[in-house]
Each structure stands twice: as C-alpha cells, then as structure tokens.
Amino acid sequence: MTMVLLAPFFAIILFAFIYPIGNLLSISFLEPSPTLDNYARVVTNPIYALVLARTAWISLLVTVLAVVLGFPVAYFMTRVNGAVAALVAACVLLPFWSSVLVRTAAWAVLLQREGVINTILLWLGVTSEPLRLLYTQGAVVIAMTHVLLPFMILPIYGALRNIPDDYMRAASVLGAGRFRAFAEVMLPLSLPGVWSGSILVFLTALGFFVTPALLGSPQEMMIATLVSQQVREVLDWPFAAALVGVLTLFVTLIAMIFSKAIRFERLMGSSA
C-alpha cells in the first residue's frame, strides 16, 4: 500500500530529474563515439578548474555567512512569542514569496554606482567617490547569502525548539554561567540543525545561476554561468554536459559524506 501511495512521487522524480540528467550525461560521453575528453578538459584546463574552485569557495563563504547571520535570528525566534514571533517569522519567510530574480535585482539597485549604499557612504563622508560594489565577488556573496538565509534559519530554529528549557536551567543550577551553558549545552545540541542548514545552503549555492549572472563579472564566473555560456553561446553541449556531470558528482559526494556522518533524523532536527 505504501509503495502505491509513493508511486506518483517516484514517477515525478524519474521523469523530471533522473531521465533528463541521465540523458544529458550520456551526451558528455558520446561525441560521436564514447570518450572522456570532455571530462579531461574540465580537469586539465586551468580556467575551468579555477571556475570549479571559485564556485566551491563562494559556496563555502555563503554557507559560513549564513550560519553567522542565521543562528542569532533562529535563537531569537525561540525566545519570543505572540506578535513579535509572527513578525520575525514573516521576515524570515518573506523571501519565499518573491522570486530570486526580484531579490537579485533589488541588490543590483542597492549596489550600483549611484545606488543607495554609495549615496549613503558619500553623504556620511566615508568615501570621496562611489565605490565599485556591483559586478564583484562580494556582491555575489552578499546577495546569495540573503537569498539562501532562510534555508539556514529554519533548520536551526527546528533544532533549537527541540532543546528543553530545563537543560539550560540545569546547567545554571550546576554553576555554569550563561555563556558556558550556551557553549556546552545549547550549541552542541543545535549542531544537527546547523549541519542541516549548511548542507542545504552549500549544495544550493553550488548550482546558483541568476545571482552570479546578474551581479558578478566574467572574471568571477561560477560553474552554472559557465554551463549556460557553453550551451547558449558556444553551443558545445557535450562539454556543458561534462560540467554538469562533474558538478553532479561533487554534490553527490558531499551529500553522501553528510549522510554517513550524521543520522538523517538528527539532520531534520529530531530529538531522537
């Protein structure tokens, strides 16, 4: 009975994900005969290797920033009630109600040469001329962090909500200060949520396209932008498929490492 109920789900996964990915990867090996030349280009060409390394580095930066910014918000959400809690939850969930394109365009308006940020800096006398904020790696990292922050906050919030308040009170009774109780009780118990949010943010950032394409420069290209370039401009589908294959392999390896290191139930914030 369970398999019958799950059949539509598996059918969607098969036809909407597995079949297209498998068909695309097959193109990377057949040109016109079976070959690994496209994958050799990805690994041996320093330009493409740099794009892969940059993609991983930017994804890591975004993940770290999301943890630093998201943990205090998630902690605050567990300490408020009523209208304040509803307001904070609405602010966290608001990005889900607008497209990534709209949020990225908003950052472009803020970061442009005559944008709000440069205007404020000039008005305060911090700088004597507008700074180059747009089309930089910093712009990409900031905008991606903003877009992906809810994916970090919600898992951490779920983990913190499952920590009984009695644990912190018990630590206080035993002589632990507020900081020590947080560092030795709450923080370790919240790590499943932190790891869950980190893997969600990191793996999503690896394949990000809209934000790097609009806010980054050609010198700061990420792998999704490179794939788009190979398909739309160069028309080199086999090589683009090889890039997708390398990215898919990397994502799969990261997911397997996390699944082996942390139980799935703990990743989802379960108290089991």
Side-chain angles (χ1 to χ4, degrees), residues 201-226:
V201 171
F202 183 76
L203 295 183
T204 305
L206 285 174
F208 238 59
F209 171 71
V210 174
T211 304
L214 293 182
L215 301 184
S217 66
Q219 291 74 27
E220 304 295 337
M221 184 182 296
M222 294 178 65
I223 188 169
T225 311
L226 178 60

Side-chain angles (χ1 to χ4, degrees), residues 70-79 152-165 167-168 182 185-194 266 268-271:
F71 197 100
V73 176
Y75 180 77
F76 180 74
M77 289 174 64
T78 63
R79 293 294 179 267
M152 180 66 71
I153 294 175
L154 295 178
I156 296 177
Y157 171 74
L160 291 174
R161 287 282 295 179
N162 284 327
I163 302 176
D165 294 335
Y167 289 6
M168 296 295 288
F182 174 82
V185 178
M186 180 166 290
L187 183 59
L189 292 176
S190 67
L191 285 181
V194 173
R266 297 196 65 191
M268 300 309 294
S270 172
S271 59

Side-chain angles (χ1 to χ4, degrees), residues 23-47:
N23 191 36
L24 182 63
L25 294 180
S26 66
I27 299 175
S28 66
F29 293 103
L30 303 176
E31 189 198 13
S33 59
T35 179
L36 294 175
D37 290 346
N38 292 307
Y39 290 92
R41 286 175 59 190
V42 177
V43 177
T44 58
N45 192 311
I47 296 178

Side-chain angles (χ1 to χ4, degrees), residues 73 77 86-104 106-107 142-154 208:
V73 176
M77 289 174 64
L87 178 62
V88 176
C91 292
V92 172
L93 297 175
L94 185 62
F96 290 120
W97 303 339
S98 59
S99 70
V100 176
L101 180 61
V102 172
R103 284 173 278 170
T104 302
W107 276 107
I142 292 173
M144 287 178 61
T145 302
H146 169 247
V147 172
L148 296 175
L149 194 57
F151 294 98
M152 180 66 71
I153 294 175
L154 295 178
F208 238 59

Side-chain angles (χ1 to χ4, degrees), residues 6-19:
L6 292 176
F9 169 76
F10 287 120
I12 293 174
I13 293 297
L14 177 63
F15 290 104
F17 179 74
I18 297 178
Y19 173 74

